[in-house]
């Protein structure tokens, strides 16, 4: 009987340790969360940082301009108008006390696991890729990332021509 009790206690301790390890962030976890919170942190003035309400206003302001994954993050935490949840207080109070973004995201992960599942899409290297081998969906994404649309495009070649035309204005070649 005593053996069963000690085994039960040992298993409970082991499971508790596993749960604590799972709550910690792994490499690559919460990349969107950390990025957005760093952006918010950089934009806060000393006056705004004094009040959680002002921090929440700054979050909402940033979320109005957010696109793609960052917009989805804003939706999850309640930074968009159509959001069903409200976790802005879970961000504003720690930011007020200068908590690092990684720790804030760790806490948010405990509240809603979806927040840390968001990852940025891989960027397409326009120097190395052959546009003819990309799918139309990827070509549309390139234009969308640039804030452009092609209403007259009916074929893949139309998208490629437009991208080649706009490439000098939107895509700066990275120099070593």
């Amino acid at each position: 009987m005593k053996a069963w009790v000690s085994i039960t206690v040992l298993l409970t301790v082991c499971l508790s340790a596993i749960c604590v390890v799972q709550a910690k962030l792994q490499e690559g976890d919460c990349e969107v969360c950390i990025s957005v919170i760093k952006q918010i942190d950089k934009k806060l003035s000393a006056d705004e940082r004094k009040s959680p309400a002002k921090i929440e206003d700054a979050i909402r302001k940033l979320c109005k301009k957010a696109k793609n994954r960052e917009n989805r993050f804003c939706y999850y935490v309640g930074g968009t108008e159509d959001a069903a949840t409200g976790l802005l207080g879970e961000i504003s109070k720690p930011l007020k006390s200068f908590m690092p973004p990684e720790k804030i995201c760790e806490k948010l992960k405990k509240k809603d696991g979806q927040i840390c599942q968001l990852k940025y899409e891989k960027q397409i290297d326009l120097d190395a890729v052959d546009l003819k081998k990309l799918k139309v969906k990827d070509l549309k994404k390139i234009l969308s990332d640039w804030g452009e649309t092609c209403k007259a495009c009916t074929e893949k070649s139309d998208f490629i021509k437009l991208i080649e035309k706009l490439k000098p204005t939107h895509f700066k070649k990275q120099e070593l």
Side-chain angles (χ1 to χ4, degrees):
M1 187 65 158
K2 288 183 181 181
W4 286 106
V5 172
S6 60
I7 290 173
T8 306
V9 170
L10 181 64
L11 285 173
T12 306
V13 169
C14 289
L15 288 174
S16 298
I18 290 170
C19 290
V20 169
V21 170
Q22 290 294 328
K24 298 231 180 221
L25 295 181
Q26 304 295 321
E27 185 67 31
D29 274 357
C30 297
E31 66 180 89
V32 175
C33 176
I34 292 169
S35 172
V36 172
I37 292 179
K38 282 182 179 178
Q39 289 175 39
I40 295 164
D41 195 27
K42 284 180 186 176
K43 292 186 179 191
L44 290 175
S45 66
D47 182 47
E48 287 176 321
R49 193 175 288 278
K50 293 177 183 175
S51 165
K54 289 183 180 180
I55 294 173
E56 290 175 17
D57 289 341
I59 294 169
R60 285 188 192 97
K61 184 177 177 183
L62 181 116
C63 286
K64 282 185 180 178
K65 298 175 186 173
K67 292 182 180 178
N68 300 329
R69 300 289 192 248
E70 292 175 354
N71 181 272
R72 178 61 43 195
F73 169 80
C74 289
Y75 175 79
Y76 288 156
V77 298
T80 59
E81 292 177 10
D82 62 340
T85 61
L87 296 174
L88 292 182
E90 301 293 327
I91 299 172
S92 62
K93 290 174 187 168
L95 275 175
K96 180 182 176 194
S97 60
F98 295 92
M99 184 181 282
E102 292 81 7
K103 291 290 182 186
I104 296 171
C105 290
E106 222 173 271
K107 288 185 173 195
L108 289 173
K109 182 179 182 180
K110 292 176 187 173
K111 298 275 184 186
D112 186 356
Q114 294 181 54
I115 292 171
C116 285
Q117 290 175 352
L118 290 172
K119 304 225 182 280
Y120 285 112
E121 296 172 0
K122 297 202 187 286
Q123 294 297 315
I124 299 171
D125 182 12
L126 291 177
D127 282 336
V129 74
D130 183 9
L131 294 175
K132 294 175 187 169
K133 293 183 179 179
L134 291 178
K135 295 179 180 179
V136 174
K137 176 183 172 185
D138 294 329
L139 298 172
K140 286 181 178 180
K141 184 189 175 311
I142 291 170
L143 290 172
S144 173
D145 289 346
W146 290 347
E148 302 283 345
T149 56
C150 186
K151 293 181 181 175
C153 295
T154 56
E155 295 183 17
K156 185 176 183 176
S157 59
D158 296 333
F159 287 102
I160 293 171
K161 286 176 190 173
L162 182 62
I163 290 171
E164 291 294 342
K165 178 182 169 189
L166 297 172
K167 193 174 182 179
T169 57
H170 292 285
F171 181 71
K172 307 278 190 283
K173 192 173 185 177
Q174 294 182 1
E175 299 189 22
L176 299 174

